[in-house]
Amino acid sequence: MTDNHDRDDLDTWLHSRIEPLSPPPGTFEAIKRRARRRKVRKLTVSAGVAAAVIAAVVTVPQVVKMPVEPARPEAGAKPATSAPSTTSGPGKVFASSKAPIALPTGNPVPANFQPASITAVSDQTMFVIGQAGKPGQCATQYCTSVARTQDAGATWTGLPAPLAGAPDGAAGVGQIRFLDGINGWAFGPELWASHDGGESWKQVSTHGRRVIDVETVGKRAFAIEADCTGTGQDYAAQCTDFTLYSTPATGDDWKPVGASTTNLNKQGAFGSAALVLTGTRGYLLAPDGTLLAGPVTGTGEWKEAGQIPCAVGLAQQDGAPAGAQLGALSAQTLILACQTKAIYQSADGGATWQQTKAGPATSATATSISASPTASVILGTTAGIEVLPTGSDTWQAATLTGTVPEGGFGFVGMTTPTRGIALPADAGAGSVWFTTDGGLTWSPSQVQGPAQ
C-alpha cells in the first residue's frame, strides 16, 4: 500500500516538465504498479463500507457457501431485479448488503459459460466460476472462467480467472468463495487467492493436500484440506487426514485452527467433511459424524460439540458430504437433512438432535439444505427443489419457470428471508436460478457469453 509521500512524489513527477528523453529503465512499470495499488485501495474502502452494513445469513456447505448468520429484512427494501426467464428445447450462505459494492467493470462473459460454483457477497452481487468455450479455443491454455452479476442475474460480466484447469485429480479449481467482493478464493483441489476483486489471482501452496471446502466470515477465511487419491473430477474422493485451516481475509497466512481439528480420520475409511460458519461460531462436520465447534475469530480452540444422527457419507463431486446436509439458523440452532429423508434440528449447537419434520415424499436424493428464518426450509434434490413453508407440516415442490435442469440442483441457498439462489447440478445448463418469494418459485438467469 502506498503512503502520502509516495502519492506526492508520483503527482509531482506527473505534473513536472519532462524533457524529450527516454525514461530510466522500469519507470513505466513503477507507475503501473502504483496506479494498480491506488485502484485496489479505493475498491477496498468501498467494500469496507458495504461490509459494515452486511447482515449474515447461513446455509449448508454445498456448491455455493458463505454461511453467516440469518439476515434480517431490510426496512422498505425493494424487490430484487427479476432474472430473465428462459426455456430450453451444483458453498453456506450469503450476506445481504444495503450499500452497493464498487467493483471493476469487467469484460464480456466468455461463450458457452458453464457455472460450477457461485458465491454471493450481497443479494445482488455474485461471482461464479466454471468452464467456457472448448479446449484450444480459450484465451489461455485453460478454459476456466469467472463471471459476476451486480443486479441479481439481470446482466453478467466476465473477470480474470485463475490460470488453472477444471478439477482433475490433484490439479485445477472448480469452486469459488468471496468474503466482501475484494478478498476471494478459488479452490478444489488447488487453492488460489485474489485480494483485488478478482482482477488478479495467485496460487497458494497446500503442500500437496487438496482443498475440500472454503468458507468466509467476519475478517477470516477457513478451509478444509485433506490427503486424497481421487482422480478426474472426483478430486475429493478417497480422502483421509482432514485438517481445518484459517487465515486473515486480507492475506494468505493459512495455519491449523487447533489440535482437535487436525489430522481427522487419519486411519479411518474414506469419507468427507463439511464446514458451516455463523457470525460468531463455526462448525466442522468430521467424516465419522462428530461435530466440532469453536470461535471464528482465529483465536480459541475448537472442541467436540456432539454427534449427528446419520452417516456423513462419501464426497459428492464438489467435495460436500452425500449423506448429511448441515446448515445453521443461528450460532446455536442447526438443521440437518439425512438421506433417510428425515429433517433434524438442534437448539444447543449439535449436542442433542430432535427429528422435527419428515422429509418430502420424493425418491430424489437431497443435495443441499437451506432455511429462511421467516419463510421456509428449502431442499435441493436431484429432481428439483422442495419447500416446507413456515407453519406447515407439508412439503411442496417449488414452481420452476422453464425446464427443470437435468439432474436437478446441486445447491440452494437463501441470501435474505425471501431471496435465494440455486445452481443446477449440471453445469452445462449454463444458468443460475433465483427466487424472490422465499423459495416457492424460481426463475433461471443464463450466464450469457457473446454470440458465436
Side-chain angles (χ1 to χ4, degrees):
M1 180 177 290
T2 58
D3 55 23
N4 291 332
H5 178 72
D6 290 331
R7 290 196 299 269
D8 291 342
D9 290 346
L10 177 60
D11 293 338
T12 299
W13 187 90
L14 290 171
H15 290 89
S16 62
R17 184 172 181 177
I18 305 300
E19 296 297 329
L21 297 173
S22 300
T27 297
F28 292 130
E29 288 74 11
I31 294 173
K32 291 179 180 178
R33 286 196 299 270
R34 290 181 178 179
R36 188 180 301 114
R37 288 196 294 267
R38 295 172 72 178
K39 176 181 179 182
V40 170
R41 183 171 59 253
K42 292 179 181 178
L43 290 171
T44 303
V45 171
S46 298
V49 173
V53 296
I54 282 179
V57 180
V58 71
T59 187
V60 62
Q62 280 301 126
V63 179
V64 182
K65 306 177 272 189
M66 275 187 59
V68 281
E69 290 185 346
R72 277 79 175 172
E74 300 173 14
K78 297 181 180 180
T81 303
S82 299
S85 299
T86 62
T87 57
S88 63
K92 259 169 195 65
V93 172
F94 314 116
S96 174
S97 175
K98 297 178 183 177
I101 297 175
L103 294 172
T105 303
N107 301 304
V109 177
N112 304 315
F113 190 94
Q114 300 179 23
S117 175
I118 184 169
T119 181
V121 297
S122 77
D123 58 5
Q124 299 287 309
T125 300
M126 299 124 196
F127 298 77
V128 293
I129 191 171
Q131 299 294 301
K134 298 179 181 179
Q137 300 177 359
C138 305
T140 68
Q141 67 183 96
Y142 307 109
C143 291
T144 301
S145 301
V146 174
R148 184 195 66 231
T149 179
Q150 292 181 276
D151 49 21
T155 60
W156 296 87
T157 57
L159 293 174
L163 296 179
D168 184 9
V173 292
Q175 304 289 306
I176 191 169
R177 304 287 182 269
F178 265 88
L179 171 65
D180 49 16
I182 299 300
N183 300 290
W185 293 266
F187 66 98
E190 294 178 358
L191 180 63
W192 292 68
S194 174
H195 299 290
D196 56 9
E199 285 292 282
S200 63
W201 296 87
K202 181 179 180 180
Q203 186 172 6
V204 179
S205 174
T206 60
H207 306 287
R209 293 164 64 87
R210 301 185 189 181
V211 179
I212 305 303
D213 194 6
V214 172
E215 303 301 335
T216 63
V217 66
K219 297 180 179 180
R220 300 194 69 83
F222 292 78
I224 299 175
E225 294 185 7
D227 290 330
C228 312
T229 57
T231 59
Q233 293 183 335
D234 295 322
Y235 67 91
Q238 302 178 19
C239 296
T240 61
D241 197 5
F242 295 79
T243 296
L244 179 64
Y245 289 80
S246 183
T247 181
T250 55
D252 287 288
D253 184 20
W254 294 92
K255 295 179 179 178
V257 170
S260 63
T261 55
T262 299
N263 297 331
L264 297 172
N265 200 44
K266 188 173 183 64
Q267 303 298 331
F270 294 138
S272 185
L275 183 62
V276 173
L277 305 180
T278 74
T280 58
R281 191 170 175 82
Y283 293 91
L284 173 64
L285 179 57
D288 64 356
T290 300
L291 197 63
L292 299 111
V296 294
T297 56
T299 60
E301 183 77 9
W302 287 40
K303 299 179 180 180
E304 184 173 335
Q307 191 84 13
I308 67 168
C310 58
V312 175
L314 299 177
Q316 300 183 64
Q317 199 167 79
D318 66 347
Q325 311 302 322
L326 179 68
L329 292 174
S330 70
Q332 290 293 324
T333 304
L334 307 179
I335 54 174
L336 178 74
C338 298
Q339 287 309 309
T340 58
K341 302 297 191 297
I343 306 297
Y344 292 86
Q345 181 170 316
S346 174
D348 52 14
T352 61
W353 295 86
Q354 296 77 39
Q355 185 172 345
T356 58
K357 305 291 182 183
T362 174
S363 60
T365 300
T367 57
S368 71
I369 190 172
S370 184
S372 164
T374 62
S376 52
V377 176
I378 298 147
L379 198 65
T381 77
T382 53
I385 297 174
E386 299 289 332
V387 182
L388 181 66
T390 296
S392 174
D393 291 326
T394 305
W395 288 84
Q396 64 186 69
T399 300
L400 304 181
T401 302
T403 303
V404 179
E406 183 177 355
F409 292 87
F411 164 79
V412 293
M414 300 303 292
T415 60
T416 75
T418 57
R419 303 179 191 177
I421 305 172
L423 199 65
D426 178 15
S431 60
V432 175
W433 290 63
F434 291 83
T435 181
T436 59
D437 60 3
L440 297 176
T441 60
W442 297 79
S443 298
S445 166
Q446 292 298 125
V447 186
Q448 296 281 9
Q452 297 297 299

